[in-house]
Amino acid sequence: MIPVISAISAAILILFTLLSFLAPSPVDTDHRPYKRFKSSFIAGADGAIGEPVLRVPADGGTSDRDLWSSRNYWLFHGCSNASKKFQKAEAVTEPNRYLLIVTSGGLNQQRTGITDAVDASNFSEIFDVDRFISYLSEDVKIIKQLPRKGGKGGKPLTPYTMRVPRKCSERCYQNRVLPVLLKRHAVQLTKFDYRLSNRLETDHQKLRCRVNYHALKFTAPILSMGEKLVHRMRMRSTHYITLHLRFEPDMLAFSGCYYGGGKKEMKELGSIRRRWKTLHRNNPDKARRQGRCPLTPEEVGLMLRALGYGSDVHIYVASGEVYGGEETLAPLKALFPNYHSKESIATKEELESFSSFSSRMAALDFIVCDESDVFVTNNNGNMAKILAGRRRYFGHKPTIRPNAKKLFRLFPNKNNMTWEEFASRVRTRQRGFTGEPNEVRPGRGEFHENPSACICEDSEAKIKKDFGPRKYGKDDIGIKRDVIDDPDVDDEPEWSDMDDDEDQNGHLEKGLFDGTGLDYEAMNPEDPELEEILSD
């Protein structure tokens, strides 16, 4: 019996050995649906060996549109001049009334505060204050400092400090601030970012545009260095793309999203997130489904290639420290080898006077992004909104924002389809997210992003266009209708109505874009470090 038992045992052992080789590897639930920062495509390859990968052609493929300009941009222009009924500053300025504004956060959060308040603030190291005051002299009387009581020898006038709700309407200011101003003579409003309603009468909206697009200019040193960076990008290529990546560890920690890094990622980002007690615990899967997670660098690169931008395109990336470092950036650089940043096209000596000041460094990126042929934003922060609005105002230069809510299902399954199918689906989902004229109805969305009150249409040019030859398959603004291949793809972005004048409880509406949106404004964070991080 012993030989028989030995033989059976050996057979069983061999069987288990074979099963161990043939059985699939156990699923690591910590890593679905993404493999952390590992490229799952072949850039410019002719074929794939082994497990399925997405084969990405080297060129941009065919496109039914001009990649470097918006359709019918020539029909629209910025228009922010005051109407005849808008009273001059000298007629409305009352003596012995002074309003001070305190802005907070980084460069672009401060910029929204200045634009909405029309105030010189105190950052002459970033903006040309003298130009600001002189340009707006007919609209608002602006002074650099408060007068003294009783003349030069008196004590400085001390302002009364208060704060208004977020998205405060004109009636709100008249009811809350004016009585205090009449009594105290000098009032200082703190935390003045997004403290002004979007629903203002047209002349006041146009005043905001005069402030933002004409009065606010960077100081000469910032402008000079920014122009050098733009010139160096132009020397490399006729056209270039800028990408505001926003994939820093603190931003990812705040978003509460998950990118397949397992316990290590959860521990690293979790420790950062715990620094801010005001942040609640997020459901990463729900956040991605709702389009609230920034795309990975690889996903941004694949989206751009699918839209028609080839591997020869030069791309300038505005970003701080990227989570995962070079490993994270490698797929993007493989898709776009002509990868640049201010640190790569300028010397340390040239950046020395800026590098110790985050707002000045952000200002340099702002200039390069503003001047680019195509601007790509990977978040819904202040810099993205302000640049998108500027680009609409100054000629509707293309501004691409990922439709993250619709793309999130596509990327995990990209290796199960051909490149042609993948690219077609990306283009379908990105319809309405490229900054085209009339892409969003007037009055919808946040004013800094969609300054519709300050954009006019050339009626004569439109008449000539409308009476010209019609092209089959295009709508009134010239956008070719692609075939909808997915039931969850809509024709128009889902922009929520921003502010309700009757609701002044300080909360922003959620879901500003049907795209990447972090909704950090709704949380009203009080932590100065958090404000600095999230302001751009």
Side-chain angles (χ1 to χ4, degrees):
M1 291 294 293
I2 293 175
V4 174
I5 293 173
S6 299
I8 293 173
S9 299
I12 292 173
L13 181 61
I14 292 171
L15 179 61
F16 273 113
T17 303
L18 288 173
L19 288 173
S20 67
F21 279 108
L22 295 175
S25 301
V27 176
D28 184 355
T29 56
D30 282 344
H31 286 70
R32 63 175 193 270
Y34 296 94
K35 295 181 180 178
R36 186 189 183 197
F37 312 137
K38 290 184 179 179
S39 175
S40 54
F41 64 87
I42 296 181
D46 293 328
I49 300 175
E51 66 179 50
V53 294
L54 185 67
R55 177 179 171 271
V56 184
D59 61 18
T62 58
S63 177
D64 63 346
R65 65 183 184 89
D66 183 354
L67 297 176
W68 303 107
S69 64
S70 299
R71 291 186 176 94
N72 299 324
Y73 67 91
W74 44 275
L75 291 176
F76 301 87
H77 62 277
C79 53
S80 58
N81 291 336
S83 69
K84 293 181 179 180
K85 68 178 183 179
F86 189 69
Q87 292 181 293
K88 302 292 185 181
E90 58 186 19
V92 296
T93 301
E94 295 286 346
N96 203 23
R97 293 184 192 176
Y98 304 95
L99 188 65
L100 291 81
I101 302 299
V102 178
T103 61
S104 58
L107 170 69
N108 295 291
Q109 189 171 351
Q110 292 171 356
R111 187 173 188 129
T112 62
I114 296 172
T115 299
D116 291 349
V118 197
D119 174 70
S121 192
N122 64 342
F123 39 105
S124 57
E125 71 275 10
I126 301 174
F127 296 108
D128 185 338
V129 176
D130 290 332
R131 173 194 164 81
F132 184 80
I133 293 175
S134 63
Y135 190 91
L136 296 171
S137 60
E138 292 189 0
D139 297 312
V140 182
K141 184 176 181 180
I142 303 171
I143 58 177
K144 293 184 178 180
Q145 60 185 16
L146 287 176
R148 293 179 177 270
K149 294 180 180 179
K152 293 183 178 180
K155 295 181 179 180
L157 188 63
T158 302
Y160 176 82
T161 299
M162 63 181 295
R163 190 188 302 185
V164 293
R166 297 174 80 84
K167 300 301 179 184
C168 198
S169 66
E170 292 169 277
R171 187 177 63 230
C172 167
Y173 281 95
Q174 291 167 356
N175 293 338
R176 292 173 181 256
V177 180
L178 183 57
V180 181
L181 184 61
L182 294 175
K183 180 180 180 180
R184 302 277 185 164
H185 303 294
V187 173
Q188 177 174 278
L189 302 181
T190 62
K191 298 275 186 181
F192 202 86
D193 60 297
Y194 295 100
R195 302 284 165 177
L196 183 63
S197 168
N198 279 320
R199 293 179 180 174
L200 304 177
E201 60 97 11
T202 301
D203 262 321
H204 285 140
Q205 297 287 50
K206 287 182 179 290
L207 175 57
R208 294 170 90 180
C209 293
R210 290 198 294 281
V211 176
N212 202 359
Y213 306 135
H214 299 285
L216 271 179
K217 295 290 184 183
F218 291 119
T219 59
I222 292 175
L223 279 176
S224 177
M225 190 65 229
E227 289 167 358
K228 285 182 182 178
L229 296 177
V230 172
H231 176 70
R232 289 168 190 176
M233 289 300 298
R234 294 288 181 207
M235 292 293 289
R236 287 167 168 79
S237 180
T238 304
H239 301 290
Y240 72 91
I241 293 175
T242 49
L243 167 61
H244 193 216
L245 191 55
R246 294 304 269 149
F247 208 73
E248 296 89 352
D250 38 35
M251 177 56 72
L252 299 186
F254 176 81
S255 72
C257 298
Y258 175 68
Y259 291 92
K263 294 180 179 179
K264 182 176 183 292
E265 178 185 327
M266 292 179 181
K267 182 179 179 180
E268 291 173 345
L269 299 184
S271 64
I272 298 174
R273 189 175 178 83
R274 283 192 294 273
R275 296 207 302 257
W276 307 303
K277 296 180 181 179
T278 56
L279 300 186
H280 57 76
R281 186 178 180 87
N282 276 10
N283 181 328
D285 292 333
K286 182 179 180 181
R288 183 166 286 275
R289 287 196 306 272
Q290 292 177 340
R292 304 190 185 282
C293 295
L295 269 58
T296 67
E298 175 185 337
E299 291 169 344
V300 174
L302 287 172
M303 176 194 70
L304 290 174
R305 294 294 298 278
L307 292 176
Y309 299 97
S311 60
D312 59 333
V313 168
H314 287 251
I315 183 169
Y316 176 99
V317 177
S319 176
E321 174 195 0
V322 173
Y323 182 62
E326 284 300 313
E327 182 183 2
T328 307
L329 288 172
L332 176 61
K333 291 182 176 180
L335 288 163
F336 292 97
N338 298 310
Y339 178 102
H340 311 284
S341 66
K342 57 182 173 294
E343 289 81 8
S344 70
I345 61 175
T347 66
K348 288 184 178 180
E349 292 73 20
E350 287 177 312
L351 296 176
E352 186 176 3
S353 61
F354 306 96
S355 57
S356 298
F357 305 92
S358 60
S359 289
R360 297 183 197 181
M361 293 289 274
L364 297 179
D365 280 337
F366 188 98
I367 292 170
V368 182
C369 290
D370 190 31
E371 293 293 329
S372 66
D373 299 280
V374 175
F375 172 60
V376 183
T377 173
N378 194 26
N379 74 104
N380 187 29
N382 291 305
M383 181 169 173
K385 293 175 185 175
I386 293 172
L387 277 168
R390 283 183 63 86
R391 294 170 71 86
R392 289 181 190 276
Y393 185 85
F394 290 111
H396 280 89
K397 292 190 293 184
T399 299
I400 298 172
R401 50 191 176 90
N403 184 353
K405 188 175 180 180
K406 300 292 170 59
L407 291 173
F408 93 96
R409 294 188 185 93
L410 187 59
F411 288 116
N413 298 314
K414 63 182 179 297
N415 293 333
N416 299 323
M417 61 186 80
T418 65
W419 171 254
E420 290 73 19
E421 182 182 2
F422 174 80
S424 175
R425 293 192 176 192
V426 169
R427 290 194 295 269
T428 299
R429 286 161 170 77
Q430 282 300 120
R431 184 189 300 125
F433 289 79
T434 58
E436 297 280 354
N438 290 340
E439 188 176 80
V440 182
R441 292 196 299 273
R444 300 295 297 276
E446 211 282 322
F447 182 79
H448 292 284
E449 206 280 346
N450 184 35
S452 56
C454 307
I455 297 175
C456 297
E457 187 173 5
D458 188 330
S459 55
E460 292 184 3
K462 187 177 186 301
I463 291 173
K464 292 179 181 178
K465 173 183 175 294
D466 290 343
F467 279 92
R470 298 292 296 236
K471 293 185 179 181
Y472 176 77
K474 296 198 175 185
D475 62 16
D476 290 339
I477 60 171
I479 299 177
K480 183 177 180 181
R481 293 296 183 186
D482 295 328
V483 176
I484 302 295
D485 58 359
D486 286 287
D488 64 330
V489 177
D490 300 327
D491 285 336
E492 183 182 8
E494 297 172 2
W495 290 51
S496 65
D497 285 315
M498 275 303 294
D499 53 282
D500 183 350
D501 288 348
E502 296 180 359
D503 180 14
Q504 300 298 344
N505 60 4
H507 294 283
L508 269 176
E509 289 74 5
K510 295 185 178 180
L512 172 61
F513 301 109
D514 181 15
T516 303
L518 299 178
D519 276 354
Y520 53 78
E521 293 136 341
M523 297 182 183
N524 195 17
E526 299 295 329
D527 190 303
E529 181 187 9
L530 184 58
E531 287 186 343
E532 179 75 21
I533 289 168
L534 301 178
S535 65
D536 292 335

